[in-house]
PDB file of all heavy atoms in Angstrom:
ATOM      1  N   ASP A  17      -6.007 -24.299-100.595  1.00  0.00           N
ATOM      2  CA  ASP A  17      -7.023 -25.402-100.453  1.00  0.00           C
ATOM      3  C   ASP A  17      -8.172 -24.892 -99.672  1.00  0.00           C
ATOM      4  O   ASP A  17      -8.086 -23.908 -98.917  1.00  0.00           O
ATOM      5  CB  ASP A  17      -6.399 -26.644 -99.866  1.00  0.00           C
ATOM      6  CG  ASP A  17      -5.558 -27.374-100.805  1.00  0.00           C
ATOM      7  OD1 ASP A  17      -5.420 -27.054-102.048  1.00  0.00           O
ATOM      8  OD2 ASP A  17      -4.806 -28.327-100.356  1.00  0.00           O
ATOM      9  N   ASN A  18      -9.243 -25.623 -99.679  1.00  0.00           N
ATOM     10  CA  ASN A  18     -10.380 -25.295 -98.787  1.00  0.00           C
ATOM     11  C   ASN A  18     -10.210 -26.087 -97.439  1.00  0.00           C
ATOM     12  O   ASN A  18      -9.698 -27.180 -97.366  1.00  0.00           O
ATOM     13  CB  ASN A  18     -11.685 -25.781 -99.429  1.00  0.00           C
ATOM     14  CG  ASN A  18     -11.950 -25.011-100.730  1.00  0.00           C
ATOM     15  OD1 ASN A  18     -11.519 -23.852-100.868  1.00  0.00           O
ATOM     16  ND2 ASN A  18     -12.731 -25.560-101.626  1.00  0.00           N
ATOM     17  N   SER A  19     -10.634 -25.463 -96.399  1.00  0.00           N
ATOM     18  CA  SER A  19     -10.606 -26.087 -95.019  1.00  0.00           C
ATOM     19  C   SER A  19     -12.039 -26.342 -94.540  1.00  0.00           C
ATOM     20  O   SER A  19     -12.931 -25.498 -94.845  1.00  0.00           O
ATOM     21  CB  SER A  19      -9.927 -25.101 -94.099  1.00  0.00           C
ATOM     22  OG  SER A  19      -8.609 -24.776 -94.477  1.00  0.00           O
ATOM     23  N   ILE A  20     -12.145 -27.390 -93.861  1.00  0.00           N
ATOM     24  CA  ILE A  20     -13.435 -27.744 -93.154  1.00  0.00           C
ATOM     25  C   ILE A  20     -13.136 -27.995 -91.711  1.00  0.00           C
ATOM     26  O   ILE A  20     -12.422 -28.954 -91.394  1.00  0.00           O
ATOM     27  CB  ILE A  20     -14.110 -28.845 -93.812  1.00  0.00           C
ATOM     28  CG1 ILE A  20     -14.454 -28.633 -95.313  1.00  0.00           C
ATOM     29  CG2 ILE A  20     -15.433 -29.143 -93.085  1.00  0.00           C
ATOM     30  CD1 ILE A  20     -15.096 -29.779 -96.048  1.00  0.00           C
ATOM     31  N   ILE A  21     -13.736 -27.286 -90.859  1.00  0.00           N
ATOM     32  CA  ILE A  21     -13.573 -27.489 -89.435  1.00  0.00           C
ATOM     33  C   ILE A  21     -14.911 -27.867 -88.858  1.00  0.00           C
ATOM     34  O   ILE A  21     -15.913 -27.134 -89.127  1.00  0.00           O
ATOM     35  CB  ILE A  21     -13.023 -26.151 -88.705  1.00  0.00           C
ATOM     36  CG1 ILE A  21     -11.714 -25.772 -89.317  1.00  0.00           C
ATOM     37  CG2 ILE A  21     -12.913 -26.360 -87.218  1.00  0.00           C
ATOM     38  CD1 ILE A  21     -11.248 -24.324 -88.865  1.00  0.00           C
ATOM     39  N   ASN A  22     -14.899 -28.917 -88.088  1.00  0.00           N
ATOM     40  CA  ASN A  22     -16.153 -29.455 -87.505  1.00  0.00           C
ATOM     41  C   ASN A  22     -16.298 -29.224 -86.043  1.00  0.00           C
ATOM     42  O   ASN A  22     -15.305 -29.059 -85.288  1.00  0.00           O
ATOM     43  CB  ASN A  22     -16.164 -31.012 -87.862  1.00  0.00           C
ATOM     44  CG  ASN A  22     -16.138 -31.267 -89.270  1.00  0.00           C
ATOM     45  OD1 ASN A  22     -17.048 -30.784 -90.027  1.00  0.00           O
ATOM     46  ND2 ASN A  22     -15.227 -32.039 -89.739  1.00  0.00           N
ATOM     47  N   CYS A  23     -17.505 -29.232 -85.681  1.00  0.00           N
ATOM     48  CA  CYS A  23     -17.823 -29.044 -84.228  1.00  0.00           C
ATOM     49  C   CYS A  23     -19.162 -29.754 -83.889  1.00  0.00           C
ATOM     50  O   CYS A  23     -20.122 -29.710 -84.671  1.00  0.00           O
ATOM     51  CB  CYS A  23     -18.033 -27.560 -84.011  1.00  0.00           C
ATOM     52  SG  CYS A  23     -18.526 -27.093 -82.364  1.00  0.00           S
ATOM     53  N   ALA A  24     -19.161 -30.482 -82.798  1.00  0.00           N
ATOM     54  CA  ALA A  24     -20.360 -31.095 -82.343  1.00  0.00           C
ATOM     55  C   ALA A  24     -20.827 -30.322 -81.071  1.00  0.00           C
ATOM     56  O   ALA A  24     -20.056 -30.074 -80.069  1.00  0.00           O
ATOM     57  CB  ALA A  24     -20.055 -32.554 -81.886  1.00  0.00           C
ATOM     58  N   TYR A  25     -22.060 -29.898 -81.150  1.00  0.00           N
ATOM     59  CA  TYR A  25     -22.535 -29.098 -80.024  1.00  0.00           C
ATOM     60  C   TYR A  25     -23.420 -30.024 -79.161  1.00  0.00           C
ATOM     61  O   TYR A  25     -23.813 -31.102 -79.477  1.00  0.00           O
ATOM     62  CB  TYR A  25     -23.329 -27.882 -80.437  1.00  0.00           C
ATOM     63  CG  TYR A  25     -24.602 -28.056 -81.275  1.00  0.00           C
ATOM     64  CD1 TYR A  25     -25.808 -28.127 -80.640  1.00  0.00           C
ATOM     65  CD2 TYR A  25     -24.552 -28.148 -82.635  1.00  0.00           C
ATOM     66  CE1 TYR A  25     -26.999 -28.269 -81.370  1.00  0.00           C
ATOM     67  CE2 TYR A  25     -25.668 -28.318 -83.356  1.00  0.00           C
ATOM     68  CZ  TYR A  25     -26.858 -28.362 -82.738  1.00  0.00           C
ATOM     69  OH  TYR A  25     -28.092 -28.528 -83.466  1.00  0.00           O
ATOM     70  N   SER A  26     -23.644 -29.515 -77.928  1.00  0.00           N
ATOM     71  CA  SER A  26     -24.245 -30.450 -76.904  1.00  0.00           C
ATOM     72  C   SER A  26     -25.740 -30.271 -76.585  1.00  0.00           C
ATOM     73  O   SER A  26     -26.336 -31.206 -76.219  1.00  0.00           O
ATOM     74  CB  SER A  26     -23.445 -30.262 -75.590  1.00  0.00           C
ATOM     75  OG  SER A  26     -23.479 -28.923 -75.122  1.00  0.00           O
ATOM     76  N   ASN A  27     -26.204 -29.075 -76.809  1.00  0.00           N
ATOM     77  CA  ASN A  27     -27.564 -28.798 -76.265  1.00  0.00           C
ATOM     78  C   ASN A  27     -28.523 -28.654 -77.528  1.00  0.00           C
ATOM     79  O   ASN A  27     -28.427 -27.713 -78.314  1.00  0.00           O
ATOM     80  CB  ASN A  27     -27.611 -27.487 -75.514  1.00  0.00           C
ATOM     81  CG  ASN A  27     -28.904 -27.268 -74.730  1.00  0.00           C
ATOM     82  OD1 ASN A  27     -29.936 -27.801 -75.101  1.00  0.00           O
ATOM     83  ND2 ASN A  27     -28.876 -26.432 -73.783  1.00  0.00           N
ATOM     84  N   SER A  28     -29.469 -29.579 -77.596  1.00  0.00           N
ATOM     85  CA  SER A  28     -30.407 -29.551 -78.732  1.00  0.00           C
ATOM     86  C   SER A  28     -31.371 -28.423 -78.693  1.00  0.00           C
ATOM     87  O   SER A  28     -31.949 -28.084 -79.641  1.00  0.00           O
ATOM     88  CB  SER A  28     -31.221 -30.907 -78.737  1.00  0.00           C
ATOM     89  OG  SER A  28     -31.858 -31.050 -77.530  1.00  0.00           O
ATOM     90  N   ALA A  29     -31.370 -27.703 -77.545  1.00  0.00           N
ATOM     91  CA  ALA A  29     -32.220 -26.537 -77.414  1.00  0.00           C
ATOM     92  C   ALA A  29     -31.538 -25.257 -77.907  1.00  0.00           C
ATOM     93  O   ALA A  29     -32.179 -24.248 -78.099  1.00  0.00           O
ATOM     94  CB  ALA A  29     -32.670 -26.340 -75.994  1.00  0.00           C
ATOM     95  N   SER A  30     -30.271 -25.370 -78.135  1.00  0.00           N
ATOM     96  CA  SER A  30     -29.542 -24.114 -78.627  1.00  0.00           C
ATOM     97  C   SER A  30     -30.024 -23.724 -79.946  1.00  0.00           C
ATOM     98  O   SER A  30     -30.360 -24.541 -80.778  1.00  0.00           O
ATOM     99  CB  SER A  30     -28.053 -24.398 -78.746  1.00  0.00           C
ATOM    100  OG  SER A  30     -27.468 -24.735 -77.400  1.00  0.00           O
ATOM    101  N   ASP A  31     -30.227 -22.421 -80.141  1.00  0.00           N
ATOM    102  CA  ASP A  31     -30.797 -21.989 -81.444  1.00  0.00           C
ATOM    103  C   ASP A  31     -29.885 -20.923 -82.132  1.00  0.00           C
ATOM    104  O   ASP A  31     -30.273 -20.213 -83.053  1.00  0.00           O
ATOM    105  CB  ASP A  31     -32.202 -21.472 -81.234  1.00  0.00           C
ATOM    106  CG  ASP A  31     -32.203 -20.167 -80.379  1.00  0.00           C
ATOM    107  OD1 ASP A  31     -31.254 -19.746 -79.868  1.00  0.00           O
ATOM    108  OD2 ASP A  31     -33.344 -19.659 -80.262  1.00  0.00           O
ATOM    109  N   TYR A  32     -28.707 -20.717 -81.563  1.00  0.00           N
ATOM    110  CA  TYR A  32     -27.821 -19.695 -82.097  1.00  0.00           C
ATOM    111  C   TYR A  32     -26.388 -20.129 -81.996  1.00  0.00           C
ATOM    112  O   TYR A  32     -25.974 -20.702 -80.942  1.00  0.00           O
ATOM    113  CB  TYR A  32     -27.978 -18.385 -81.279  1.00  0.00           C
ATOM    114  CG  TYR A  32     -27.167 -17.248 -81.829  1.00  0.00           C
ATOM    115  CD1 TYR A  32     -27.280 -16.770 -83.129  1.00  0.00           C
ATOM    116  CD2 TYR A  32     -26.285 -16.612 -80.914  1.00  0.00           C
ATOM    117  CE1 TYR A  32     -26.515 -15.745 -83.612  1.00  0.00           C
ATOM    118  CE2 TYR A  32     -25.494 -15.500 -81.371  1.00  0.00           C
ATOM    119  CZ  TYR A  32     -25.586 -15.087 -82.724  1.00  0.00           C
ATOM    120  OH  TYR A  32     -24.849 -14.065 -83.161  1.00  0.00           O
ATOM    121  N   PHE A  33     -25.669 -20.130 -83.094  1.00  0.00           N
ATOM    122  CA  PHE A  33     -24.389 -20.721 -83.107  1.00  0.00           C
ATOM    123  C   PHE A  33     -23.369 -19.633 -83.812  1.00  0.00           C
ATOM    124  O   PHE A  33     -23.755 -19.021 -84.753  1.00  0.00           O
ATOM    125  CB  PHE A  33     -24.341 -22.008 -83.932  1.00  0.00           C
ATOM    126  CG  PHE A  33     -25.381 -22.984 -83.424  1.00  0.00           C
ATOM    127  CD1 PHE A  33     -26.665 -22.906 -83.998  1.00  0.00           C
ATOM    128  CD2 PHE A  33     -25.037 -23.880 -82.489  1.00  0.00           C
ATOM    129  CE1 PHE A  33     -27.641 -23.792 -83.460  1.00  0.00           C
ATOM    130  CE2 PHE A  33     -25.979 -24.787 -82.056  1.00  0.00           C
ATOM    131  CZ  PHE A  33     -27.288 -24.752 -82.455  1.00  0.00           C
TER     132      PHE A  33
END
Side-chain angles (χ1 to χ4, degrees):
Chain A
D17 288 352
N18 297 333
S19 304
I20 299 176
I21 301 172
N22 297 304
C23 175
Y25 64 92
S26 57
N27 191 340
S28 56
S30 296
D31 66 354
Y32 182 59
F33 306 89

